[in-house]
Amino acid sequence: MSGKKEELGHSVPGALKELWTAGFFSDEKNFDQIQKKLGHHLGCNPPAGTLRMALMRAPFLTRRGPKGSRSYIQRTASTRITLNKEIFPAELIEALEKEFQYELEDLRLNYGKSGTCTAFLLRKILEKLIFLTFAKNGIADKLKDPNGGFIGLNAMLKMAAGHTVHGKPFLMPKTANEIEGIKFLGDTSAHNPLVVVSMGIIKPVMPFIVTAYSELVTKL
C-alpha cells in the first residue's frame, strides 16, 4: 500500500476501524467480503497475510468458525458518529469526501459532543464549498474584499444566490435566506469569543444546512 494512503489514515488497521465505525461488521463478514469492501470503498488493497493479521489483532472484532473459513463480527457497536446515517445523506458524503475529508472526520468526532466545534466546522464547510464552486467556475475573485481578503459568510451567501451556472443559482435564494437566519453560522457569532453553541440549537436547522451543501456540490 502506498505511503499516500497511510497518510490519509488508511493503514490496514485504520481501514478496518473505519469499516467498523460505519457499521460494516454489525453482521458476520467473511474474508473475501472484507477484502472486496476495503478495495471498493477505501481503495485499500493489502496483501492477504497483512489483512489476516490485522483482522486477528483488531480489538473490536470477534472471529468465528474454523481456520480457512472464518468470519468476523463486531464485539460492540462503535460510538463514533456515522455521518451518512445520522447527519448527511450517503450521496452527499460521497460528493464531499474528496475535498472535505478532514472536515468530515472532525465533524464525526465532534457532532453531538461539542456544539461550538460543530458550528465552526459546519460554517467552514459552507464557506469552502462556496469558494470551491466559484473557483471551479472561474469567478473566485468575486468573493474577495477590497483588501484582497475574503468577504464574510453573509456576503458569500448573497453572492451565491445572485450568481448562476447554466441558468441556475449556486444557491437558491430561499436556501440562502434560511442559512442567513441561522445565528450560530453568522459572521458576528463566528468572531465572538464569548459565543457558546449547544447541539440543541444545531440539530433543528441541520436540514437547511444539508440543503445548502446539496445545492452547492452540484456546481463542483
Side-chain angles (χ1 to χ4, degrees):
M1 186 166 52
S2 70
K4 182 179 179 182
K5 284 294 182 186
E6 296 203 5
E7 288 174 9
L8 295 177
H10 288 164
S11 63
V12 182
L16 289 175
K17 189 171 184 179
E18 186 161 338
L19 293 184
W20 170 57
T21 59
F24 178 72
F25 291 104
S26 58
D27 53 13
E28 289 187 35
K29 297 292 189 299
N30 62 37
F31 185 85
D32 289 343
Q33 289 173 310
I34 297 166
Q35 196 172 44
K36 182 177 180 180
K37 185 69 173 179
L38 286 173
H40 288 184
H41 181 64
L42 299 177
C44 180
N45 299 284
T50 302
L51 177 54
R52 287 194 177 94
M53 183 64 70
L55 286 165
M56 182 178 71
R57 292 178 174 176
F60 45 84
L61 296 178
T62 295
R63 291 183 295 167
R64 292 179 177 174
K67 186 176 181 179
S69 60
R70 282 185 176 139
S71 61
Y72 301 83
I73 191 169
Q74 65 189 23
R75 293 176 187 269
T76 58
S78 170
T79 58
R80 179 169 169 262
I81 296 297
T82 304
L83 292 179
N84 61 353
K85 290 183 178 179
E86 300 184 31
I87 308 173
F88 297 155
E91 59 271 19
L92 179 57
I93 289 290
E94 184 177 354
L96 292 172
E97 197 73 52
K98 181 179 178 181
E99 298 287 352
F100 295 86
Q101 176 186 346
Y102 298 111
E103 290 89 349
L104 291 176
E105 181 58 26
D106 286 343
L107 196 56
R108 290 184 180 101
L109 294 171
N110 287 285
Y111 190 90
K113 297 177 182 178
S114 171
T116 301
C117 291
T118 298
F120 169 80
L121 289 164
L122 291 173
R123 179 190 169 100
K124 181 183 178 185
I125 292 170
L126 183 56
E127 288 177 322
K128 186 175 173 180
L129 257 177
I130 294 173
F131 172 78
L132 290 177
T133 55
F134 271 56
K136 182 174 181 180
N137 290 277
I139 54 173
D141 284 347
K142 292 185 178 294
L143 300 175
K144 291 186 176 181
D145 63 26
N147 297 318
F150 288 106
I151 58 179
L153 177 59
N154 290 346
M156 283 187 174
L157 290 168
K158 288 182 171 63
M159 283 282 186
H163 286 77
T164 62
V165 180
H166 304 305
K168 294 183 179 180
F170 284 79
L171 269 181
M172 296 299 292
K174 180 180 179 182
T175 304
N177 288 336
E178 294 285 2
I179 295 297
E180 283 188 55
I182 300 175
K183 299 302 182 185
F184 69 80
L185 289 178
D187 293 324
T188 302
S189 294
H191 301 292
N192 185 345
L194 300 180
V195 169
V196 177
V197 184
S198 72
M199 287 304 305
I201 294 173
I202 293 174
K203 289 181 179 179
V205 299
M206 281 303 298
F208 301 118
I209 296 172
V210 168
T211 297
Y213 290 175
S214 298
E215 290 178 8
L216 287 166
V217 294
T218 63
K219 315 301 189 302
L220 287 176

